[in-house]
């Protein structure tokens, strides 16, 4: 990329970040719209998590990753500390991969 494109993208990103706080008091949305926007952001985040958990390079990511994400999600829902969530989810994923890749004799 050329320097001009990088600077234009940086300026656009900064403008979008600044627009939120600047327009918060000037723009009045009905409560229903505010609720809908809040729900839409959660749905978008959930779709991103599901896509990242289930697919890698256009194909199924495997049972191990799905299991790790599921365990991490349950721990986060139960309000476990972030470090515990990450370590346990990584441990479950690694354990599942080790078990599933072991040849059966």
């Amino acid at each position: 990329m050329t320097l001009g494109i990088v600077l234009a993208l940086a300026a656009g990103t900064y403008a979008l970040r600044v627009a939120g706080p600047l327009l918060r008091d000037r723009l009045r949305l009905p409560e229903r719209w505010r609720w809908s926007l809040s729900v839409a952001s959660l749905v978008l985040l959930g779709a991103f998590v599901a896509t990242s958990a289930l697919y890698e390079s256009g194909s199924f990511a495997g049972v191990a990753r799905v299991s790790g994400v599921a365990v991490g999600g349950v721990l986060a829902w139960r309000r476990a500390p972030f470090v515990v969530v990450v370590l346990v989810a990584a441990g479950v994923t690694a354990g599942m991969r080790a078990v599933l890749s072991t040849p059966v004799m």
Side-chain angles (χ1 to χ4, degrees):
M1 276 193 213
T2 66
L3 182 61
I5 293 173
V6 171
L7 292 175
L9 289 172
T13 301
Y14 181 75
L16 284 174
R17 288 181 159 249
V18 169
L22 291 178
L23 295 177
R24 180 180 303 169
D25 296 331
R26 300 178 109 198
L27 185 63
R28 300 284 180 206
L29 293 175
E31 187 62 34
R32 178 77 174 159
W33 281 33
R34 294 170 82 184
W35 179 82
S36 296
L37 288 172
S38 176
V39 170
S41 66
L42 290 175
V43 168
L44 185 61
L45 180 62
F48 175 70
V49 169
T51 303
S52 298
L54 295 174
Y55 294 103
E56 181 178 345
S57 301
S59 61
F60 182 60
V63 177
R65 182 186 291 182
V66 174
S67 301
V69 170
V71 168
V74 169
L75 288 174
W77 174 58
R78 300 293 298 159
R79 299 185 188 266
F82 180 72
V83 174
V84 172
V85 171
V86 171
L87 291 176
V88 171
V92 166
T93 303
M96 292 284 292
R97 286 182 179 162
V99 168
L100 293 174
S101 67
T102 305
V104 178
M105 293 185 187

